[in-house]
Each structure stands twice: as C-alpha cells, then as structure tokens.
C-alpha cells in the first residue's frame, strides 16, 4: 500500500513510518520540519534499510499537497502533522487553530479530489477533558480545557460530519494517552525544543545532568503515593497500533474510534523509580504545588482496540525508561 504520512519526521510519525516499512508498505512523508529534523530520514533508513519519499511542504498548502497526490497513487493517509504543546496553545491560540484545523481541511479536500478516502487521525486523550470515572472508554463525554485540545475536538467533529455526509470515507480517530520511550536502536525518539513540558523527557534530562531536578507537580492527589497517575504507552507499541488501524479501516468501512493506551496507570514516583533503575542514577526531585489544569488520575479502557483490532501493548515501563534513556544518551543535544 502507498501510505502518505503527514508529520512523518516527528516523534510518533517517525516510529510509525518504521513499523509501516517493516510491513512492506511504501511510505511518502510530508512535513514542514517545523518541529523535526531532516536527519530523522537518515535514521529511518539506518533502522529499516529502506527509503521513503520525502516532501518538505506545509500541509496547509493545498497546491503543494496536490502535487504529491499527482506524483503518487496514495491509498491511505495518516495525519500526524500538527502543533501539540498545551501551554503554547494558550499563548498563541490562533496559530494552533490555523495550523491544526486548516491543515486537516486542506488535506481532506485534496484527498477527496483524488478519491483517497482512508484516513487515520492523531487525536488525544485530551478530548476527554476532566473525567472522574476510570478507566476512560470511548463513549465518555468529550470536552477540552485548552486551545490545543479544542483543535483535536473540533477536528474529530469535522471528521464525524464528513463520514455522515459521505459513506465512502473510512476514518479512524486514535486517541493517544501518554506516548513515551524511543526506538530500541536509540536512533529516533522524542526530541523536544527547549525545556521539556512532559514528564519523561524532563526526567532523562535530569538524569543526564542538563536539568538539576524534577519538579513533581503535587503529592496530594488521591493516588497510590499522592502523585499524578497516567497511562504511559511505549511509542513503538503506539506505532504498531497505527499499522493495526490501517488494516482496520481498509477492511471495514466508516468511522471508528479507539483509545491507544496500556490500560494501566503509573504514578510520577513510579516512573522516577523505573528511570532510576534504567539509568543507574538517582533522579533528584522536589515536590512542588500541583500544575494548573492537571488531574490526579487518567488511564484508558484499552479493550475496544484489542477486541476490534487485536491491538495490545507489549512493552513495560522498564522498556520505556531503558529506551528513552538510550536515546537521550546517544543524542544528548537532540537529533543533529
Ligand atoms: P511532533 O511535533 O514530534 O510531530 C509533528 C510533526 O508535524 C512535526 O515533524 C512537525 O514538523 C510537523 N508539522 C506540524 N505542522 C505541520 C504542517 N502544517 N505541515 C507539515 N508538517 C507539519 O509531535 P508528535 O508527538 O509526533 O505528535 C504527532 C501527533 O500526535 C500530533 O498531531 C499530536 O497532537 C498528536 N498527539 C501527540 C501526543 C504526544 O504526547 N506526543 C499525544 C496525543 C496526541
Ligand atoms: C500531557 C498534555 C495532554 C496530552 C498528554 C499526552 C499537558 C498539560 N497536557 O498531559 O494534553 O494529551 O500529555 O501526551 O501538557 N509531571 C510532573 N513534573 C513535570 C512534568 C509532568 O510531575 O515536570 C507530572 C504531571 O503532573 C502528570 C504526569 O507527570 O501527573 C504526566 O505529565 P505530562 O507528561 O505533562 O502529561 P499529561 O499531563 O498527562
């Protein structure tokens, strides 16, 4: 199959491209490199011994996208391209609405023009807003608490409306929980700009000595040790989930929605312990007040993806920590 991957040089995209190539799909990547490096393409080649076709274009640019569809007979699209930092989205909301929503509209229009109607969209557990009942299943009420989350929610509605209007679209909305870890080769992984916002890249930067200590945001939640609990999913498992979703949408029509998570939560301090074991180093931390907008516990009901696509995670939190640490050590200043 010829699969177009938008945002394919990014963190989740690059791991998914590797799994698609391992399954002998042809991959065409489009990415504007706003949050990733060209070097990722060389790394993908080193891991798979296969080449991908790459276009450095902005998905918002319909004319450029049309050229890609003219050059290749695209069977399915995985749409990762987007801006993803929650905090930044509250500072520059218009940029988030423009980039995330316009890129999706432009992609859909071009796909329609070229009669390519198989799509996987990167959604997020953020569309569940604040939930009190755990685990969260796909029927839970939806809401968003920040502009980034609202772009995901709006795009989900756009895709649902599209499927209602035209039954020939086959779309999967994949709601990721907390992707972490890196490829076991240490060649690709999460490569954040500046100080990381998310827990795992922050911990590895403490371990390598770039940051002095981890701030643990609150130890007074109603959880095993008072610190926040999340559903961490190894990025390679997550990538495999996309291969399952490609099989699903190309064999059964319509719109499907799946949580992609491990179905189990770990606390911040449990993650710190896993990283101490993986790194053989003490991770310094200080308990600080809760981060605004955080909830205590969030984990997925992952049974639907298993029952309907046969997808389940196999990697442990030790794998997540070991692989994230290998990537950090091999790339102390990120991918260059
Ligand atoms: P990432 O930033 O590493 O990758 C996104 C890629 O898209 C980058 O390479 C960037 O250069 C590219 N891009 C952005 N806007 C573009 C545009 N207009 N045209 C072309 N390329 C563009 O992010 P990621 O962590 O790999 O996330 C991928 C997707 O998954 C995003 O849509 C994100 O919102 C979603 N998601 C991520 C997480 C997470 O924790 N990483 C969780 C839930 C959902
Ligand atoms: C973040 C995003 C969310 C996205 C999710 C999955 C924010 C505010 N939310 O959520 O939209 O869907 O990732 O990718 O970015 N923590 C610390 N110290 C730190 C960093 C985090 O204690 O320096 C704690 C948090 O309080 C939380 C846990 O670690 O309990 C995980 O945090 P993080 O990695 O930021 O992910 P989420 O908050 O789940």
């Amino acid at each position: 199959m010829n699969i177009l991957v938008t945002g394919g040089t990014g963190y989740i995209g690059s791991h998914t491209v590797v799994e698609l190539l391992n399954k002998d799909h042809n991959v065409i990547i489009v990415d504007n490199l706003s949050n990733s490096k060209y070097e990722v393409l060389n790394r993908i080649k080193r891991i798979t011994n296969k080449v991908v076709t790459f276009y450095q274009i902005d998905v918002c640019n319909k004319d450029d996208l049309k050229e890609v569809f003219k050059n290749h007979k695209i069977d399915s699209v995985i749409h990762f391209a987007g801006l993803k930092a929650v905090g930044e989205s509250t500072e520059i909301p218009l940029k988030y609405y423009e980039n995330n929503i316009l890129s999706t509209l432009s992609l859909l229009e071009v796909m329609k023009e070229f009669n390519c109607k198989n799509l996987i969209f990167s959604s997020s557990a953020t569309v569940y807003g604040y939930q009190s009942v755990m685990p969260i299943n796909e029927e839970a009420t939806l809401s968003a608490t920040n502009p980034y989350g609202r772009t995901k929610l709006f795009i989900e509605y756009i895709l649902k409306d599209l499927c209602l209007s035209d039954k020939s679209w086959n779309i999967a909305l994949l709601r990721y929980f907390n992707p972490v870890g890196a490829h076991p080769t240490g060649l690709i992984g999460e490569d954040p700009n500046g100080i990381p916002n998310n827990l795992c890249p922050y911990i590895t930067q403490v371990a390598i000595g770039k940051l002095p200590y981890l701030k643990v945001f609150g130890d007074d939640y109603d959880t095993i040790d008072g610190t926040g609990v999340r559903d961490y999913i190894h990025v390679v498992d997550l990538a495999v989930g996309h291969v399952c979703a490609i099989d699903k949408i190309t064999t059964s029509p319509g719109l499907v929605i799946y949580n992609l998570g491990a179905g189990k939560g770990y606390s911040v301090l449990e993650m710190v312990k896993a990283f101490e074991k993986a790194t053989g180093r003490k991770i310094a931390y200080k308990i600080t007040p809760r981060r605004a907008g955080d909830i205590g516990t969030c984990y997925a009901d992952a049974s639907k993806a298993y029952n309907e696509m046969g997808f389940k995670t196999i990697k442990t939190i030790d794998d997540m920590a070991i692989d994230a640490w290998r990537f950090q050590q091999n790339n102390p200043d990120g991918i260059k």
Side-chain angles (χ1 to χ4, degrees):
M1 216 187 277
N2 287 333
I3 302 178
L4 177 69
V5 180
T6 77
T9 44
Y11 173 46
I12 305 170
S14 58
H15 290 81
T16 302
V17 167
V18 166
E19 298 308 317
L20 292 170
L21 293 171
N22 286 342
K23 288 277 176 198
D24 286 332
H25 291 298
N26 291 321
V27 176
I28 297 102
I29 294 178
V30 298
D31 200 301
N32 62 5
L33 301 182
S34 60
N35 198 36
S36 57
K37 311 264 168 47
Y38 184 88
E39 170 61 17
V40 170
L41 297 164
N42 298 327
R43 307 277 177 106
I44 290 172
K45 190 173 171 209
R46 278 171 69 188
I47 296 170
T48 61
N49 223 359
K50 291 182 178 161
V51 280
V52 297
T53 308
F54 174 67
Y55 294 87
Q56 185 176 348
I57 62 168
D58 195 305
V59 184
C60 299
N61 187 323
K62 253 201 267 179
D63 291 333
D64 285 352
L65 262 188
K66 281 184 194 173
E67 285 307 308
V68 177
F69 277 79
K70 273 182 203 153
N71 293 345
H72 308 271
K73 158 106 195 53
I74 305 290
D75 298 302
S76 299
V77 178
I78 308 182
H79 182 35
F80 292 105
L83 299 174
K84 63 163 182 176
V86 173
E88 187 185 62
S89 80
T90 64
E91 286 153 21
I92 47 167
L94 296 184
K95 188 74 207 155
Y96 271 68
Y97 288 120
E98 180 192 18
N99 191 67
N100 292 3
I101 294 181
L102 283 191
S103 66
T104 306
L105 290 176
S106 133
L107 176 67
L108 292 170
E109 282 169 22
V110 175
M111 287 177 70
K112 188 173 166 199
E113 186 177 326
F114 286 83
N115 201 30
C116 168
K117 294 186 172 175
N118 299 324
L119 174 72
I120 293 174
F121 173 64
S122 294
S123 189
S124 165
T126 195
V127 299
Y128 292 122
Y130 299 112
Q131 297 284 329
S132 47
V133 179
M134 294 295 144
I136 303 174
N137 71 34
E138 290 83 351
E139 302 304 315
T141 51
L142 303 181
S143 66
T145 56
N146 54 69
Y148 163 71
R150 265 183 283 282
T151 68
K152 293 293 175 193
L153 200 51
F154 293 163
I155 294 168
E156 284 207 3
Y157 284 126
I158 291 169
L159 295 173
K160 286 173 190 167
D161 284 338
L162 182 64
C163 285
L164 283 176
S165 74
D166 176 352
K167 304 283 178 233
S168 61
W169 283 89
N170 307 309
I171 297 183
L173 309 180
L174 301 183
R175 296 175 181 156
Y176 314 152
F177 278 68
N178 288 59
V180 297
H183 196 268
T185 56
L187 286 168
I188 51 173
E190 191 167 11
D191 187 17
N193 283 324
I195 296 178
N197 298 308
N198 298 112
L199 180 66
C200 291
Y202 204 105
I203 293 179
T204 56
Q205 294 203 10
V206 171
I208 207 159
K210 289 179 86 173
L211 293 168
Y213 60 89
L214 170 72
K215 291 180 206 144
V216 175
F217 298 144
D219 68 349
D220 55 353
Y221 289 107
D222 183 15
T223 62
I224 176 173
D225 53 24
T227 65
V229 165
R230 294 291 184 276
D231 186 335
Y232 297 97
I233 175 168
H234 194 295
V235 66
V236 172
D237 278 337
L238 184 63
V240 170
H242 292 75
V243 178
C244 297
I246 284 280
D247 293 343
K248 178 74 186 172
I249 61 167
T250 49
T251 49
S252 58
L255 181 119
V256 288
I257 304 175
Y258 297 114
N259 286 341
L260 293 185
K264 181 170 174 21
Y266 288 98
S267 73
V268 174
L269 293 182
E270 286 174 317
M271 294 306 281
V272 166
K273 272 203 197 90
F275 276 90
E276 287 185 335
K277 194 166 140 200
T279 60
R281 299 179 185 194
K282 192 98 201 111
I283 309 291
Y285 69 82
K286 289 185 188 169
I287 307 290
T288 67
R290 293 179 176 193
R291 179 170 66 181
D294 265 0
I295 49 170
T297 302
C298 175
Y299 60 93
D301 177 340
S303 59
K304 190 176 174 210
Y306 179 64
N307 292 335
E308 297 188 11
M309 304 197 288
F311 170 73
K312 69 168 193 275
T313 58
I314 54 175
K315 294 193 181 262
T316 63
I317 58 164
D318 288 333
D319 297 324
M320 299 173 200
I322 289 166
D323 292 336
W325 178 231
R326 189 183 295 109
F327 176 75
Q328 175 73 74
Q329 281 183 304
N330 289 359
N331 305 274
D333 297 313
I335 293 177
K336 296 258 176 259

